[in-house]
Amino acid sequence: MTIQKSIDQIWFTRCPVPTATGLAYKLGWLTEEFARDDIKIATLQEAPKELSRHHYDHQLNSLIREGGNLLALAARAQGAPTKLIGLTWIDEWQAILVRPDSGISKPEHLKGLRLALPEFIEHPIQSHVRGSSIARGMSLQGYKGALKIAGLTLDDVTLVEVASGRGNRNGLGELWAGLDALIAGSVDAVYVKGASAVDAAKRVGAVVGIDLDSYPDLSTRVNNGTPRPITVHQDLLDNHFDLVVRFLYQTLRAADWAKSNLKGVRDILESETRSGEEGVATAYGDDFHLHLAPDLSKDRVELFRQQKNFMLVHGLLDKDFDLDSWIDDRPLREAEQLLHKYAAVA
């Protein structure tokens, strides 16, 4: 007979962007869900500093992670014992910023221009350099998507390395270090995304040349957060499958709540994204709250595969791995059944 390991703490981590996981936590639903089992739930953002590295390497048995795919894919390639249990897609104001007098307003205008490419970061843990070079990965993929719209490739532009930029707990504006090079005139365009970038652009006087979210082809918007993976440590899945299902149930419940509570969602996001009301409204628009639920649809998995292949080609992944065998759709299917069950008796 197998004796299930006891557990008294679940950790989860999410990036400062719209997530149903973050909503469920801020609404108190995750805390309530596990309190009846005397299980505490908390975020790595609130954890002792020595645990924060697990957002990057996922080497924490009781961890559920909803975050950027650059880190999740890199950790898996490095052998992290994780499973992919959900994917979300939230457009996050992906844009190419330019100087106000540039005349750049279409993807085809990028041909022959100098685009800012953040350097690989310097990291004390060498295995974290690839996946943690977030600004580089996002920028490169962002340019690739913009150029694809115009039938161009990275061979049609000049990539100019700039300082890597680093996010921190007080704000994410530092990710967009290329904005300084833009205003100084040493580059012609900079990729940015998210509410923090809205605020950063305003501070330096940059304007949107190309709004990537306005183009219909999702494959041109694949990036660090699109699709955004939910991953779980294999140990938690193996020994506490029911807890993972219940976690996802509350996530789905919050996604349903969000559909009729745009104002409430935006209020929560101001703290989640470390941005102001205008930054949130500009970055995420008026209908993002309708699409927060994770899924593992074939189309979304194929978009995720596109990101994995991109990372491998451009030196952001240590080695390739089998994406399909990484996926475990069981917890999400059971969580969806719970949601339907409780909705039917409500």
Side-chain angles (χ1 to χ4, degrees), residues 56-75:
Y56 301 83
D57 62 22
H58 211 134
Q59 296 286 349
L60 182 63
N61 289 14
S62 58
L63 178 64
I64 300 171
R65 182 185 187 278
E66 180 172 4
N69 58 47
L70 285 165
L71 293 175
L73 287 161

Side-chain angles (χ1 to χ4, degrees), residues 176-211:
W176 317 117
L179 289 174
D180 294 333
L182 176 67
I183 299 306
S186 55
V187 300
D188 302 304
V190 177
Y191 167 86
V192 299
K193 74 100 175 164
S196 65
V198 175
D199 296 337
K202 286 184 62 178
R203 283 197 299 271
V204 301
V207 300
V208 175
I210 302 164
D211 177 4

Side-chain angles (χ1 to χ4, degrees), residues 65-273:
R65 182 185 187 278
E66 180 172 4
N69 58 47
L70 285 165
L71 293 175
L73 287 161
R76 181 60 177 175
Q78 292 160 11
T82 60
K83 282 293 187 180
L84 175 64
I85 59 172
L87 289 166
T88 61
W89 183 290
I90 303 298
D91 285 316
E92 301 179 61
W93 196 70
Q94 295 191 67
I96 308 296
L97 297 186
V98 298
R99 290 183 294 276
D101 60 351
S102 70
I104 300 168
S105 61
K106 299 177 182 178
E108 50 264 41
H109 293 164
L110 295 176
K111 186 173 183 178
L113 299 187
R114 302 163 299 166
L115 311 184
L117 180 65
E119 300 169 332
F120 279 104
I121 66 165
E122 295 182 6
H123 199 290
I125 303 174
Q126 282 303 303
S127 62
H128 288 185
V129 168
R130 293 175 185 266
S132 298
S133 296
I134 297 171
R136 185 183 184 91
M138 286 194 295
S139 297
L140 196 58
Q141 181 70 298
Y143 299 142
K144 187 171 180 286
L147 293 165
K148 179 183 177 183
I149 295 168
L152 302 171
T153 72
L154 291 169
D155 290 336
D156 293 302
V157 298
T158 299
L159 297 173
V160 178
E161 284 200 326
V162 298
S164 63
R166 293 297 300 274
N168 57 48
R169 293 194 179 207
N170 298 318
L172 295 177
E174 291 183 22
L175 275 176
W176 317 117
L179 289 174
D180 294 333
L182 176 67
I183 299 306
S186 55
V187 300
D188 302 304
V190 177
Y191 167 86
V192 299
K193 74 100 175 164
S196 65
V198 175
D199 296 337
K202 286 184 62 178
R203 283 197 299 271
V204 301
V207 300
V208 175
I210 302 164
D211 177 4
L212 290 172
D213 292 347
S214 68
Y215 293 88
D217 183 358
L218 288 183
S219 70
T220 65
R221 304 206 297 277
V222 167
N223 211 300
N224 183 42
T226 43
R228 185 177 301 277
I230 303 176
T231 52
V232 61
H233 196 284
Q234 185 74 60
D235 186 80
L236 189 63
L237 198 61
D238 289 345
N239 293 293
H240 302 283
F241 184 85
D242 63 312
L243 299 183
V244 177
V245 171
R246 288 161 58 188
F247 183 96
L248 287 174
Y249 160 68
Q250 291 297 348
T251 293
L252 293 172
R253 181 184 169 208
D256 263 10
W257 172 87
K259 291 177 182 178
S260 56
N261 287 280
L262 177 58
K263 176 63 167 60
V265 173
R266 282 180 169 166
D267 288 345
I268 291 174
L269 284 184
E270 287 184 35
S271 63
E272 285 284 278
T273 63

Side-chain angles (χ1 to χ4, degrees), residues 323-335:
L323 177 62
D324 295 312
S325 67
W326 190 30
I327 298 170
D328 189 337
D329 66 352
R330 296 174 302 148
L332 186 58
R333 282 191 283 111
E334 292 203 16

Side-chain angles (χ1 to χ4, degrees), residues 273-292:
T273 63
R274 308 164 197 168
S275 183
E277 180 179 354
E278 183 179 351
V280 169
T282 300
Y284 306 114
D286 295 327
D287 66 355
F288 73 95
H289 63 300
L290 303 176
H291 312 287
L292 291 173

